[in-house]
Amino acid sequence: MKDTMIRWHPVTDADELAQRAIGMILQLAAESIEDHARFSLVLAGGSTPRPVYERLRGADTDWRAWHVYFGDERCLPEGDPDRNSVMARDALLAHVPIPAAQIHVIEAEQGAYDAANAYTKVLKGLGDFDLVLLGLGEDGHTASLFPGQYWGIEHDSRPVLAVFKSPKPPAERVTLSANRLSRTNNVLFLVDGERKRDAVQRWHDGGSMPAAAIKPGAGIKPGAGVDVLVQADLL
Ligand code: 6PG
């Protein structure tokens, strides 16, 4: 299988990263809505995406056509500020008119197993996403797929995984598998922070890590690739 094309986009600072990310997200939203009347977007967790989500609030887009999913969630109480869904709600989702029924939160307060089973049902029958947003951890993790653990790369992998030994607290999480995250037309990584230097270098040099296991279109869809907005001096 041919390797997935990775397009590295160096940015000078978080401001440029957010600006460039907005442009790419809204372009893909417009194309997706034009093509099939919906935009299926997977949101990334962590802290890097927050300024991007905040800037999206004022976007000129057809919010009614947006369908929002999450790449992973931490097993914390529903309103816990450390939940990825709470960050996304506060930064964006509470400020735009996406129909509530089109925002699909991972119910991680149920515990990893039950939440993974429930989210599997949410995703059942759903085709490829239009865009998956992801972050990068300093060890090369993405979503809640961690080095040395099961990533679910195989085509018959479970789409949603229960995680109990996350090295990044909390230990218990729910994550889409590498294979399910790869079932998308586009992937955009948002990467900044000096502590990511080693992971970026290893990835750029072809190293194996969860982030490198995300291969949209299984590497065969023409033009399918991974875009990485990355702090320039990390490359
Ligand atoms: C999480 C995220 C995780 C995150 C990376 C980068 O739940 O923490 O899913 O994969 O994207 O750890 O996090 P920062 O953006 O905070 O550096």
Side-chain angles (χ1 to χ4, degrees):
M1 180 185 344
K2 91 175 158 51
D3 266 347
T4 293
M5 176 172 40
I6 301 183
R7 296 179 285 259
W8 300 90
H9 307 273
V11 296
T12 48
D13 54 25
D15 196 51
E16 185 188 354
L17 186 149
Q19 270 315 104
R20 299 268 302 269
I22 306 295
M24 295 164 89
I25 293 166
L26 292 175
Q27 175 68 27
L28 287 169
E31 289 170 4
S32 305
I33 294 168
E34 171 74 21
D35 181 63
H36 45 271
R38 66 188 282 157
F39 178 49
S40 296
L41 169 67
V42 176
L43 293 183
S47 57
T48 304
R50 182 190 285 271
V52 176
Y53 298 166
E54 287 169 344
R55 283 182 193 231
L56 268 175
R57 291 182 193 177
D60 176 16
T61 181
D62 182 2
W63 293 111
R64 292 161 306 162
W66 287 47
H67 295 250
V68 173
Y69 302 85
F70 289 83
D72 70 340
E73 184 57 283
R74 304 154 182 202
C75 293
L76 296 167
E78 259 183 294
D80 190 300
D82 284 342
R83 288 266 301 238
N84 291 330
S85 52
V86 171
M87 182 276 281
R89 182 197 66 200
D90 294 348
L92 174 62
L93 302 176
H95 305 275
V96 293
I98 298 172
Q102 293 171 203
I103 298 174
H104 306 279
V105 171
I106 299 172
E107 296 170 346
E109 64 280 1
Q110 294 176 16
Y113 270 130
D114 289 348
N117 289 335
Y119 212 62
T120 298
K121 295 187 177 81
V122 170
L123 298 182
K124 193 166 177 56
L126 184 73
D128 288 3
F129 298 118
D130 292 306
L131 174 60
V132 169
L133 294 177
L134 289 167
L136 178 73
E138 51 270 37
D139 59 357
H141 79 255
T142 194
S144 289
L145 302 170
F146 295 96
Q149 299 187 19
Y150 178 69
W151 304 345
I153 292 172
E154 306 74 17
H155 75 278
D156 57 352
S157 304
R158 295 189 309 280
V160 189
L161 309 176
V163 174
F164 295 97
K165 294 181 180 165
S166 166
K168 177 178 182 182
E172 189 171 343
R173 291 158 167 258
V174 180
T175 187
L176 270 60
S177 64
N179 178 267
R180 190 58 184 90
L181 288 168
S182 300
R183 286 189 48 208
T184 181
N185 296 322
N186 301 276
V187 175
L188 175 59
F189 279 87
L190 308 172
V191 182
D192 75 347
E194 180 54 39
R195 57 195 172 88
K196 314 292 178 75
R197 179 176 298 280
D198 176 60
V200 168
Q201 294 288 329
R202 286 190 296 112
W203 187 9
H204 196 261
D205 294 343
S208 168
M209 62 186 75
I214 310 305
K215 298 179 184 289
I220 51 177
K221 200 176 287 181
V226 172
D227 290 291
V228 185
L229 286 171
V230 56
Q231 189 179 312
D233 62 5
L234 298 184
L235 283 172

